[in-house]
Amino acid sequence: MEFELKNCWYIYKSKKNKAAMDKLAAEYVDFLSLCKTERQTIDWLVSRAAAKGFEQGFTQDKFLKVHKGKSLIMARRGRTAISQGLRILGAHADTPRLDLKQRPLYEECQVSLAKTHYYGGIRKHQWFARPLALHGVVVKTDGTKVHIRIGEDLNDPVFTVADLLPHLAYKQIEKKLSEAFEAEKLNVVLGHVPLAAPAEKDKSPVKLSVLNILQKRFGIVEEDLYSAEIQAVPAGPARYVGLDQGLIGGYGHDDRVCTFAGFEAFLRQNSPENTQVLIIWDKEEIGSEGSSGAKSLFLEYSLEDMIDAWEPGTKLRTVFENTRAISADVHAAMDPDYQDVHEKLNASLLGHGPVFCKFTGHRGKVGANDAHAEYVGWLRGILNSAKIPWQMAETGKVDMGGGGTVAKFLAVYGMDVIDFGPGVLGMHSPFEICSKADIYASFLAYDQFFRN
Ligand code: MN
Ligand code: MN
């Protein structure tokens, strides 16, 4: 009669399951190490999808469409009419980071630096004193796009934000955490060697030297940075964590783990009953804004085109009302060192399967999507019959904090939707932790969702 959480490590203990789990984990580690920006993630997905026969254009039964290189929709036509409703899985490919400002370059004290404006909910102190890589694009006035990726190859230099030494931090450590680390001090070190024999009038020989290197290597001048999107992100690959290698640590589990697991589950479908849609958005971390975020009309416009091609005359709102969706996003797993911010009955544990979050929001569920009980019942049913472990949790103790996802932007259409994804430790930090078992279970759970 009592509900008991199920431990994935016991459920997936067979040799066959372990091998499948390890294989998926290895592929995920490669993906996470390679894709550090939303653009890179979308490019990776598109090239894999194209190899599986997905094409641009809505006349195909398997189509894909990319918007601005930052969001992606894919669909596979089902056996039943679109008016019977879709199975939509949505996730996001953007991650918290330090964006270079549009006029970033300067020099102080024989060091060349770049000003940044952080993107998303970072804890500022976590970004000091660690190796960073620069990723992004620079667009020239003629439309040429220069791709930047420095700091991932072992032969590459890395970048960093220098931190204050403890010897001179007596005043800083007395401050509140929210005031001790200032955004305007998150400046990335770019160089140190001055331009050889600079003219007397040169006041910034180190900055000039950096510009010189940028021009030689990428053919860009300072003005080009005004039309650039360059992100400073943690350098280096994702790694297994722990002696048993049961965890994966890396930058951007939120939400590339759901992007990956959802995509892999989507790819393996074949001749489904309901038409299936995978959508990967950008800008979730800053409120799903802009033309590539979930608040945009990208989904709506794409589905209108799909209906015109496959089932003209069907009303989009009928499709939406009959649609079932998953907002595939990570959840805050219970932190062994900070258990007090969670309420144990309604918290999730690493290794115990993907986590449903019926509602997000904060302070009295404000700003939440709240999935209907009927929908939760249906989902429990399909996962239980496939013997896939799952959990249900809130983001933390009531009034302790909160958060939001893309779920509410899907809910406005009248479809059923719930947040569902693996737990993460250290969410939004430069090194987030995920359980290998949860990644596998999430992939299997998304697979079941698509097929039912
Ligand atoms: Mn997320
Ligand atoms: Mn997030």
Side-chain angles (χ1 to χ4, degrees), residues 381-399:
I382 61 168
L383 294 177
N384 287 349
S385 21
K387 295 197 164 43
I388 295 168
W390 54 269
Q391 325 174 56
M392 172 76 78
E394 296 191 20
T395 305
K397 273 183 181 164
V398 182
D399 285 351

Side-chain angles (χ1 to χ4, degrees), residues 91-92 94 96 253-256 258 284-285 328-331 404-406 427-428:
H92 66 95
D94 60 316
H253 283 315
D254 175 12
D255 188 29
R256 282 193 264 273
C258 298
E284 193 275 344
E285 298 294 358
D329 211 338
V330 296
H331 195 88
T405 63
V406 299
M427 196 193 296
H428 285 202

Side-chain angles (χ1 to χ4, degrees), residues 48-59:
R48 280 218 55 204
K52 291 275 182 182
F54 284 83
E55 292 178 34
Q56 308 264 359
F58 293 88
T59 49

